[in-house]
Amino acid sequence: MVEGLLYLTAALGATAFLLALGRFIRGPSAADRVAAFDVLTIISITGIVLAALAEGRGIYLDVALVYALLSFLGVITVAHYLERSV
Amino acid sequence: MSALLPAMGLLLSAAMLVAALMAVRGRRSLPISILAAGLVSLLASVQFLLLAAPDVAMTEAAIGSGLTTFLFFFILARVRHD
Amino acid sequence: MTALLDLLGAALLAAGSAFLMFGALGLLRMPDIYNRLQAGTKATTLGTLLVLAGAACLRPEWWPKLLLIGLFLLFTNPLSSQVLARAAHRTGAPRSPLTRIDQLEERGGGGS
Amino acid sequence: MTEIALATGFLLILIGLYGALTNRNLLRMIVAFSVANTGVNLVLVGVGYLRGRAAPILDATLPAAEAPARIIDPLPQALVLTAIVIGVGTTALMLAYAYRLYLTRGTLDISRLRELKW
């Protein structure tokens, strides 16, 4: 039961990853792609948590912490660039 | 749970190749190329984590993805501004 | 007791992942950038918090790191979404024809 | 995992070389070089991976006594850690040269920089 729910989690996360990647490829403007980049980072955090659960190593969660900081900085950088280049 | 990590690796590999092709094909605008290169770096960092190298994953996420994207946009803003 | 906690954690993981999937679906299907940001930020933030709570149920000894990640996401995610929406508004991103009211434009926040 | 990482890394190197050879904008060439750099790092880490072993970081679940039999080789990871930082330095140097070139010539198109052609 628990195993099946974990596989369901992985399948739903993979679907979410593919949908956000589709928006990253299609997105008409740069702001759409930045939004898709942000969502892809957040989905990757879920993937990292799943990998940590599968391997049983708590040290993997530090990478998720770096990701949570990184998505913020990247989006701020690109948004600043977009605002200045009007 | 043993089949989970290689399946994640395959998905990440496909996404990385698509993003790399987006980065080097010349039809799209330059900020989109830089964002796609940043996405390649980000997914490579998850790939490093799956290859049991969390320290490399941390460095790649912070430096390879964050700092490189920041540098590219810094230079791009200078070039556009002049 | 432990089996019940495991089942609760796995159910929370699946629910959070479903929220992530619906958020990404909204990101793909919504008509303009503001609706996409709405779907892509709120649903994915809630989904990630549920996933972190589920992992904390499955592995109770990891709760400090998971709490730290959750707090980080809760602080930074709405802020980055707001900054991105403001940048899109200032660069004149096209609105959906169904949008009637633009309060930022009315209050003179459109220009910098 | 090793095969996936190696195949992806080699394909990334090829895509990066293709982009660096076919684009005419200097900034696009630097982007392609950065993609190829990521591919090289991925190949190096993929070579060092061993199936079924743990990450080389000691904590409560991996005591030091049984570490040599259970961890993978940390040497390629240390190499790649250095290579990532040096890659950022190289990218910054290339970007600085491109910016200086843009300031003196006013263009980033390599087909219009003809002084060294003969």
Side-chain angles (χ1 to χ4, degrees), chain B residues 19-20 23-24 36-37 40, chain D residues 9 12-13 15-16 30-40:
Chain B
V24 303
V40 172
Chain D
L12 279 183
I13 294 171
I15 289 172
I30 300 173
V31 169
F33 267 115
S34 128
V35 170
N37 194 0
T38 308
V40 172

Side-chain angles (χ1 to χ4, degrees), chain C:
Chain C
M1 186 58 205
T2 311
L4 200 62
L5 204 59
D6 277 359
L7 195 60
L8 177 67
L12 278 177
L13 275 177
S17 193
F19 269 107
L20 279 182
M21 202 271 283
F22 289 131
L25 188 64
L27 187 77
L28 189 64
R29 292 288 298 165
M30 285 287 184
D32 64 351
I33 170 71
Y34 309 104
N35 287 317
R36 281 173 205 149
L37 275 173
Q38 156 95 2
T41 302
K42 288 185 179 174
T44 54
T45 305
L46 179 59
T48 314
L49 288 180
L50 282 180
V51 165
L52 294 176
C57 287
L58 281 176
R59 289 293 184 119
E61 69 270 19
W62 289 353
W63 70 268
K65 276 181 193 171
L66 291 167
L67 181 67
L68 207 57
I69 297 169
L71 280 180
F72 243 87
L73 280 173
L74 212 51
F75 281 135
T76 61
N77 224 348
L79 188 56
S80 65
S81 158
Q82 193 265 342
V83 168
L84 187 56
R86 194 184 61 187
H89 191 276
R90 282 188 184 165
T91 53
R95 282 197 298 266
S96 162
L98 293 175
T99 306
R100 298 276 169 78
I101 301 170
D102 187 354
Q103 285 190 335
L104 184 58
E105 191 70 50
E106 285 165 6
R107 288 187 356 210
S112 55

